[in-house]
C-alpha cells in the first residue's frame, strides 16, 4: 500500500511585530493624562535593539527642548501693541513726574522739607484709590466696554493737566543767581565777624507757588492712574486666555515694558533738568515747562492710540442673573454685574486664605518699608550735595536691576 499524502494543519499566521506596532500599542494604552509623554517616542521610526548603538542617546535637556518645540505656541492676539504702549507711557509719566520734584521743589522753589514731603504724598495720592477705579471699570461699562474708554479718558485728564503745567508761568527762583558761576548764592559772609550766614533771597515768595504745581501734578497722576487700572484689568483678561504652561507671561511682559518706560523717563529728567537752576551741574538744560510739555505730548498721543489700537474682548449685554449673588471671576469678565453682586463677590474673594495673605503683604510692605524722615531730602541737598543727575542715577540703577529681575524669569520659564 502506498501511503497517501498526509494532510498537515497549516500553522497560524504569525503576527508581524515591528517598532511601529509597538508605538501604536503604546498610544492605544495611554490614557488622557499620560499623553503628555508621547512626544518622547519617535513616531516615525523607533530605534530597535540592533541599531541602538548607532544613534546617540538623547539627553534630558534635548528631550525637554523637543517637548517645548512640539507644544503649540499661543497665537498672537490683537491689541498687544496698544497694551504695551499703555504701559510704556504709564512708566514714562509715572517715573518722570516724581523725578522732577527734587530739582524743581527743592532746588528752584526751595520749599521746606515738610512741604516737599507733603507734595510727594499728594502727587502719589491717586494710587491709593486704585481699588475704587477698578470697581468703577467692572460695574459701569461705557458703550459695552469696560477698559478702552477708561484708558482714553484717563489719558485725556492726564494730558490736560500736563498742558496746564506746561503753560503755567514759572516764578522767579528763590535764591539769587551768580552771574559768573551761574549757581545760586545761598550763603554770605557776615559784615562784622565774617561768619557764613544764609544769603538774602531774591524771591522769598517762591515756596508759596509750589501748591498749584503739586495739585496739577496730582490731577495728572489721577489721569494715568485711571488708565493704568483699566490696562491692568485688560491684562488680567488676556492672561486668563493663556495656556497653563505659559500663564503669567503677559503680566511679566507688560511690567517689563513699564519699567523700561521708567528708565527712559528717569534718564530724560536726569540729563535734561541737570542745569544749575534745578540743583544740577550743567550750565544749560531743559526747564520744568519743557519737560512737562514733552510728557504732555506723549499723553496726548496716547488718546488716539488707546482708541485705535487697544482691543478689548466683547462684553455680553445681558447682565448676570440676580440669583447668582456671588459670581466668579470668569463670569465677571464676560457679563455685566450689579454693585451688590460685585460687592459680594469681592467679599467672598477677600475671605480666601490666599487673598488674605496677599492683602497683608500689600499692607505691611509700605507700612514697614516706606517709613522715612522728612529731613532726607535736605540731607541729600545740603549735606551730601547730591545733584539732580546723581539722584537720577541711583534711581536708574534700581530700575535696571528690577527690569533684569523681570526679564530673567521670562526667558528661563516662558
Amino acid at each position: 500500500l502506498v501511503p497517501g499524502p498526509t494532510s498537515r494543519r497549516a500553522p497560524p499566521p504569525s503576527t508581524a511585530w515591528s517598532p511601529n506596532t509597538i508605538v501604536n500599542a503604546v498610544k492605544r494604552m495611554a490614557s488622557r493624562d499620560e499623553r503628555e509623554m508621547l512626544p518622547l517616542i519617535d513616531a516615525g521610526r523607533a530605534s530597535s535593539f540592533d541599531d541602538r548603538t548607532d544613534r546617540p542617546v538623547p539627553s534630558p535637556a534635548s528631550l525637554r527642548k523637543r517637548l517645548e518645540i512640539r507644544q503649540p505656541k499661543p497665537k498672537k492676539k490683537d491689541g498687544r501693541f496698544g497694551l504695551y504702549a499703555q504701559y510704556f507711557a504709564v512708566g514714562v509719566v509715572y517715573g518722570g513726574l516724581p523725578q522732577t520734584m527734587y530739582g524743581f521743589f527743592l532746588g528752584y522753589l526751595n520749599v521746606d522739607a515738610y512741604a516737599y514731603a507733603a507734595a510727594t504724598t499728594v502727587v502719589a495720592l491717586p494710587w491709593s484709590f486704585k481699588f475704587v477705579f477698578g470697581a468703577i471699570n467692572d460695574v459701569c461699562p461705557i458703550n459695552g466696554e469696560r477698559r478702552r474708554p477708561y484708558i482714553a479718558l484717563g489719558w485725556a485728564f492726564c494730558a490736560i493737566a500736563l498742558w496746564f503745567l506746561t503753560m503755567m508761568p514759572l516764578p522767579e527762583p528763590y535764591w539769587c543767581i551768580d552771574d559768573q558761576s551761574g549757581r545760586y548764592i545761598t550763603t554770605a559772609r557776615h559784615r562784622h565777624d565774617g561768619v557764613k550766614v544764609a544769603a538774602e533771597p531774591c524771591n522769598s515768595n517762591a515756596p508759596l507757588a509750589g501748591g498749584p504745581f503739586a495739585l496739577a501734578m496730582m490731577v495728572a497722576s489721577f489721569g494715568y492712574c485711571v488708565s493704568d487700572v483699566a490696562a491692568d484689568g485688560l491684562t488680567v483678561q488676556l492672561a486668563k486666555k493663556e495656556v497653563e504652561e505659559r500663564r503669567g507671561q503677559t503680566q511679566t511682559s507688560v511690567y517689563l515694558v513699564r519699567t523700561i518706560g521708567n528708565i527712559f523717563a528717569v534718564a530724560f529728567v536726569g540729563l535734561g533738568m541737570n542745569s544749575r537752576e534745578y540743583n544740577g551741574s550743567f550750565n544749560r538744560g531743559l526747564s520744568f515747562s519743557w519737560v512737562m510739555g514733552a510728557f504732555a505730548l506723549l499723553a496726548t498721543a496716547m488718546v488716539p492710540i488707546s482708541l485705535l489700537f487697544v482691543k478689548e474682548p466683547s462684553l455680553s449685554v445681558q447682565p448676570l442673573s440676580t440669583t447668582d449673588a456671588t459670581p466668579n471671576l470668569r463670569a465677571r469678565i464676560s457679563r455685566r454685574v450689579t454693585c451688590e453682586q460685585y460687592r459680594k463677590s469681592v467679599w467672598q474673594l477677600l475671605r480666601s486664605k490666599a487673598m488674605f495673605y496677599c492683602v497683608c503683604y500689600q499692607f505691611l510692605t509700605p507700612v514697614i518699608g516706606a517709613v522715612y524722615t522728612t529731613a532726607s531730602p535736605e540731607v541729600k541737598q545740603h549735606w551730601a550735595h547730591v545733584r539732580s543727575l546723581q539722584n537720577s542715577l541711583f534711581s536708574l540703577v534700581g530700575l535696571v536691576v528690577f527690569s533684569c529681575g523681570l526679564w530673567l524669569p521670562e526667558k528661563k520659564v516662558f
Side-chain angles (χ1 to χ4, degrees):
L1 294 175
V2 179
T6 58
S7 61
R8 296 180 179 179
R9 181 179 298 177
S14 60
T15 304
W17 290 93
S18 64
N20 291 331
T21 58
I22 297 176
V23 172
N24 295 331
V26 172
K27 287 183 178 180
R28 287 194 300 268
M29 289 187 298
S31 61
R32 182 179 301 177
D33 297 331
E34 297 174 348
R35 289 183 181 178
E36 296 179 355
M37 300 300 298
L38 289 178
L40 296 176
I41 303 175
D42 193 356
R45 177 180 178 273
S47 60
S48 62
F49 291 97
D50 297 330
D51 60 352
R52 64 181 180 180
T53 58
D54 299 334
R55 300 178 61 184
V57 179
S59 61
S62 62
L63 294 177
R64 186 165 56 251
K65 184 176 181 180
R66 188 185 304 176
L67 276 174
E68 294 176 358
I69 294 176
R70 295 193 177 188
Q71 286 180 356
K73 295 183 179 181
K75 299 180 179 180
K76 293 183 179 180
K77 301 179 178 60
D78 296 333
R80 289 301 176 96
F81 169 75
L83 183 64
Y84 291 153
Q86 298 300 317
Y87 280 93
F88 180 79
V90 168
V92 170
V93 185
Y94 173 65
L97 279 183
Q99 203 67 29
T100 60
M101 301 184 68
Y102 180 76
F104 180 68
F105 282 88
L106 284 181
Y108 191 87
L109 300 179
N110 193 34
V111 299
D112 295 330
Y114 71 90
Y116 177 79
T120 55
T121 304
V122 166
V123 172
L125 186 62
W127 288 94
S128 301
F129 298 93
K130 289 184 66 175
F131 69 98
V132 179
F133 303 150
I136 295 175
N137 290 167
D138 292 334
V139 177
C140 303
I142 299 177
N143 197 19
E145 295 179 340
R146 294 185 294 189
R147 312 301 179 197
R148 188 174 63 169
Y150 287 101
I151 292 176
L153 286 177
W155 283 119
F157 273 102
C158 182
I160 292 173
L162 290 175
W163 282 119
F164 180 76
L165 284 169
T166 304
M167 294 181 291
M168 284 182 65
L170 296 179
E172 294 295 329
Y174 181 82
W175 299 108
C176 300
I177 301 177
D178 190 2
D179 296 334
Q180 296 180 358
S181 63
R183 295 186 179 274
Y184 289 130
I185 304 175
T186 58
T187 59
R189 295 287 182 178
H190 198 272
R191 295 180 180 179
H192 301 286
D193 51 8
V195 178
K196 285 187 178 182
V197 294
E200 290 292 333
C202 289
N203 184 14
S204 58
N205 295 326
L208 301 178
F213 288 95
L215 291 178
M217 294 173 73
M218 185 194 68
V219 176
S221 178
F222 166 79
Y224 71 77
C225 184
V226 171
S227 300
D228 181 75
V229 170
D232 287 342
L234 182 59
T235 302
V236 172
Q237 291 182 250
L238 295 177
K240 286 184 175 294
K241 295 183 179 181
E242 294 179 340
V243 294
E244 188 174 356
E245 292 80 6
R246 303 177 65 88
R247 187 72 56 84
Q249 184 183 16
T250 302
Q251 290 96 328
T252 306
S253 300
V254 295
Y255 281 103
L256 179 60
V257 171
R258 195 180 79 168
T259 307
I260 294 174
N262 284 338
I263 294 174
F264 175 80
V266 170
F268 173 71
V269 174
L271 294 174
M273 290 187 63
N274 194 39
S275 60
R276 303 187 189 278
E277 291 182 347
Y278 300 102
N279 197 19
S281 57
F282 296 164
N283 295 327
R284 295 181 181 179
L286 298 176
S287 64
F288 178 80
S289 301
W290 279 99
V291 174
M292 293 297 107
F295 293 156
L297 285 176
L298 178 62
T300 305
M302 288 308 302
V303 177
I305 289 177
S306 304
L307 296 176
L308 295 177
F309 295 100
V310 173
K311 306 298 180 182
E312 181 180 355
S314 59
L315 179 66
S316 178
V317 180
Q318 298 180 356
L320 285 174
S321 175
T322 56
T323 58
D324 192 2
T326 57
N328 54 20
L329 296 177
R330 189 176 300 276
R332 289 193 302 173
I333 289 177
S334 59
R335 305 292 290 272
R336 292 185 59 183
V337 294
T338 61
C339 295
E340 184 65 18
Q341 290 175 336
Y342 187 85
R343 184 187 65 81
K344 293 183 178 180
S345 178
V346 171
W347 174 246
Q348 184 181 12
L349 182 63
L350 291 175
R351 292 174 61 185
S352 63
K353 183 182 295 185
M355 190 64 184
F356 174 75
Y357 290 150
C358 292
V359 171
C360 289
Y361 172 78
Q362 293 292 336
F363 176 77
L364 294 176
T365 299
V367 169
I368 299 174
V371 177
Y372 65 96
T373 175
T374 56
S376 58
E378 297 289 344
V379 170
K380 286 197 301 183
Q381 183 182 14
H382 299 289
W383 183 71
H385 300 287
V386 176
R387 302 302 179 186
S388 296
L389 182 59
Q390 296 172 344
N391 185 52
S392 300
L393 286 178
F394 281 104
S395 302
L396 196 63
V397 170
L399 291 173
V400 170
V401 174
F402 181 72
S403 62
C404 292
L406 291 174
W407 177 74
L408 289 177
E410 183 181 5
K411 300 299 290 184
K412 296 296 182 181
V413 178
F414 304 113

